[in-house]
């Protein structure tokens, strides 16, 4: 219930969706500002999601050299677009991405951005839950059932079915993690999530090096294979994957607003992107080196077969389970900005959601229920990936930052800003 005293915290469309940590009565989770390392882990976790598993297939399509160049270029463009968001936010005195777009394009622009963030994040979270279900309970394709790790370990029971496992994951993993009101509260799970991504890289690199030394794999193709016009156009199917690989713009302001020293945000962004770039390059290189022309669109599926080395089954299970846990820990950090933007879309002039417990838990429950239903009824992760990657994701990551720079309502855009925007 909103009391008279809460009115002082009512927000305009220019203010953040969550209050700054300086408000003395902000939650019961502690008032200390977020640390540099905690912010790096939270931002890195936002970046490294399900898209990492599609990067080796990107190298398969583009060739080793152009593929790695595009991954590096994606990092450069992402850092540039986030840099513009931070500088223009400071000039417009706004503390949220939607507030920045609202300052440049009014209420309509703010609403469109928030809708794009909601579509992008819902799509990503549905994908995460689908993958978790596939890994744990298995999946069927063309009439063939591929067993999940829980079925392989314990056999077929009611609690190893897809819907049961997703429900248990929602109740005992997601529900506690999405109940935090501060993004900094997720710093430890984010650190573990990044660590699990590194584990995947280490395992993949180790297997690839062992097989390369034994002579059982060859050096991969360095350039794209262009045999006809169709093969040329297929190169562009990698664009949505490269776009989604670095998307984190929706969490920039929530992380910055909780920092002990907000001036560190630029360094945090640079550190996070370089960390993720290292993980991406290593995953792409060793994944394509290991599986070559047999690299699947989701390289995780390649770990269902015999790797041709001792203890192959154990390694496959380790990869799949570690990646599944990684996605479980990525889920709440993406959900955090989803809830903020949906609340801002539905209740643009209400007090910040952190001060209204009833609204906080109602929005949380409604979103989680919708995502759970979507994960059980969406036919394929690629349907969700292609839709969000080609529409909402590219808008959030690149179109809106470029539009704000070109609009330049405060006259601070440089020539390099305009050049990068075009």
């Amino acid at each position: 219930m909103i009391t008279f005293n809460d009115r002082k915290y009512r927000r305009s469309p220019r203010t953040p969706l969550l209050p700054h940590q300086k408000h003395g009565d902000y939650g019961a989770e502690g008032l200390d500002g977020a640390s540099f390392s905690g912010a790096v882990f939270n931002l890195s976790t936002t970046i490294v999601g399900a898209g990492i598993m599609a990067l080796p297939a990107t190298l398969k399509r583009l060739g080793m050299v152009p593929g790695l160049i595009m991954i590096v270029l994606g990092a450069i463009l992402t850092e540039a677009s986030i840099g513009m968001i931070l500088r223009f936010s400071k000039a417009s005195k706004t503390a949220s991405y939607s507030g920045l777009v609202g300052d440049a394009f009014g209420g309509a622009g703010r609403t469109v951005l928030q809708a794009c963030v909601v579509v992008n994040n819902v799509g990503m979270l549905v994908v995460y839950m689908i993958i978790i279900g596939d890994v744990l309970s298995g999946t069927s394709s063309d009439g063939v059932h591929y067993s999940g790790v829980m079925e392989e370990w314990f056999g077929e029971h009611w609690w190893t079915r897809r819907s049961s496992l997703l429900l248990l994951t929602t109740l005992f993993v997601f529900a506690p993690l999405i109940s935090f009101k501060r993004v900094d509260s997720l710093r430890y799970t984010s650190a573990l999530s990044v660590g699990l991504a590194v584990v995947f890289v280490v395992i993949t690199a180790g297997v690839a090096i062992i097989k390369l030394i034994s002579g059982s794999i060859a050096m991969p193709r360095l350039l794209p294979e262009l045999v006809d016009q169709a093969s040329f156009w297929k190169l562009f199917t990698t664009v949505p994957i490269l776009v989604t690989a670095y998307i984190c713009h929706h969490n920039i302001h929530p992380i910055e607003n909780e920092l002990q020293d907000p001036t560190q945000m630029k360094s945090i962004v640079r550190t996070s992107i370089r960390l993720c770039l290292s993980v991406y390059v290593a995953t792409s290189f060793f994944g394509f080196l290991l599986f070559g022309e047999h690299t699947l669109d989701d390289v995780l599926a390649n770990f269902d077969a015999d790797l041709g080395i001792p203890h192959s089954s154990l390694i496959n299970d380790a990869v799949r389970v570690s990646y599944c846990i990684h996605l479980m820990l990525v889920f709440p950090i993406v959900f955090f900005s989803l809830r903020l933007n949906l609340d801002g879309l539905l209740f643009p002039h209400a007090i910040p959601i952190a001060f209204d417990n009833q609204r906080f838990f109602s929005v949380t429950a409604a979103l989680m229920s919708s995502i759970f239903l979507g994960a059980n009824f969406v036919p394929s992760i690629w349907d969700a990936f292609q839709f969000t990657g080609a529409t909402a994701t590219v808008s959030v990551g690149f179109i809106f930052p470029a539009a704000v720079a070109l609009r330049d309502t405060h006259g601070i855009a440089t020539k390099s800003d305009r050049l990068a925007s075009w």
Side-chain angles (χ1 to χ4, degrees), residues 77-127:
L77 291 176
T78 299
E79 185 173 346
S81 66
I82 293 174
M84 287 191 287
I85 289 174
L86 292 174
R87 284 191 294 107
F88 281 88
S89 293
K90 184 176 181 180
S92 62
K93 296 180 172 60
T94 58
S96 68
Y97 193 1
S98 57
L100 171 62
V101 174
D103 178 70
F105 298 101
R110 174 189 174 97
T111 299
V112 172
L113 172 71
Q114 289 175 329
C116 287
V117 172
V118 169
V119 171
N120 173 73
N121 289 23
V122 167
M124 283 198 296
L125 295 179
V126 168
V127 166

Side-chain angles (χ1 to χ4, degrees), residues 85-318:
I85 289 174
L86 292 174
R87 284 191 294 107
F88 281 88
S89 293
K90 184 176 181 180
S92 62
K93 296 180 172 60
T94 58
S96 68
Y97 193 1
S98 57
L100 171 62
V101 174
D103 178 70
F105 298 101
R110 174 189 174 97
T111 299
V112 172
L113 172 71
Q114 289 175 329
C116 287
V117 172
V118 169
V119 171
N120 173 73
N121 289 23
V122 167
M124 283 198 296
L125 295 179
V126 168
V127 166
Y128 293 171
M129 287 197 75
I130 291 174
I131 295 175
I132 291 169
D134 289 347
V135 172
L136 295 179
S137 67
T139 185
S140 298
S141 179
D142 298 326
V144 179
H145 180 71
Y146 299 92
S147 297
V149 292
M150 297 298 285
E151 285 184 348
E152 292 175 357
W153 293 351
F154 304 105
E156 292 189 18
H157 303 281
W158 68 267
W159 49 271
T160 61
R161 293 174 184 170
R162 182 189 193 87
S163 57
S164 298
L165 287 170
L166 289 181
L167 180 60
L168 292 172
T169 301
T170 299
L171 294 176
F172 296 106
V173 180
F174 294 151
L177 292 177
I178 63 178
S179 298
F180 290 115
K181 293 184 178 181
R182 296 186 65 200
V183 69
D184 187 55
S185 301
L186 298 169
R187 62 190 181 278
Y188 297 119
T189 57
S190 293
L192 178 57
S193 175
V194 173
L196 289 171
V198 173
V199 167
F200 172 76
V201 172
V202 170
I203 293 175
T204 305
V207 174
I209 292 172
I210 290 172
K211 297 192 71 173
L212 186 64
I213 293 174
S214 66
S216 55
I217 57 175
M219 286 300 294
R221 179 167 40 83
L222 299 181
L223 298 173
E225 190 175 25
L226 300 176
V227 295
D228 53 25
Q229 189 175 13
S231 62
F232 172 76
W233 291 114
K234 282 184 179 180
L235 298 179
F236 294 93
T237 62
T238 61
V239 173
I241 295 172
L242 293 169
V243 167
T244 59
Y246 291 100
I247 191 71
C248 62
H249 304 64
H250 46 80
N251 261 348
I252 293 297
H253 290 93
I255 292 173
E256 182 187 28
N257 291 340
E258 294 182 9
L259 280 176
Q260 197 167 24
D261 180 8
T263 60
Q264 294 180 319
M265 193 60 200
K266 188 174 181 180
S267 298
I268 289 167
V269 170
R270 184 182 300 112
T271 303
S272 299
I273 290 179
R274 291 180 180 178
L275 172 61
C276 295
L277 174 61
S278 301
V279 172
Y280 282 173
V281 168
T283 300
S284 305
F285 177 82
F286 289 111
F288 186 37
L289 175 65
L290 178 58
F291 299 112
E293 297 303 317
H294 299 290
T295 304
L296 299 176
D297 289 338
D298 180 3
V299 75
L300 191 66
N302 285 106
F303 287 93
D304 287 340
D306 185 7
L307 298 175
I309 61 173
H311 311 295
S312 175
S313 178
L314 179 62
I315 292 173
N316 285 340
D317 285 350

Side-chain angles (χ1 to χ4, degrees), residues 386-403:
Q386 290 172 0
F387 175 74
T388 59
T391 54
T393 306
V394 70
S395 298
V396 172
F398 299 101
I399 292 178
F400 276 110

Side-chain angles (χ1 to χ4, degrees), residues 11-15 96 98-100 102 107 110 348-349:
R11 64 169 186 255
S12 73
R14 293 170 58 88
T15 56
S96 68
S98 57
L100 171 62
R110 174 189 174 97
H349 302 294

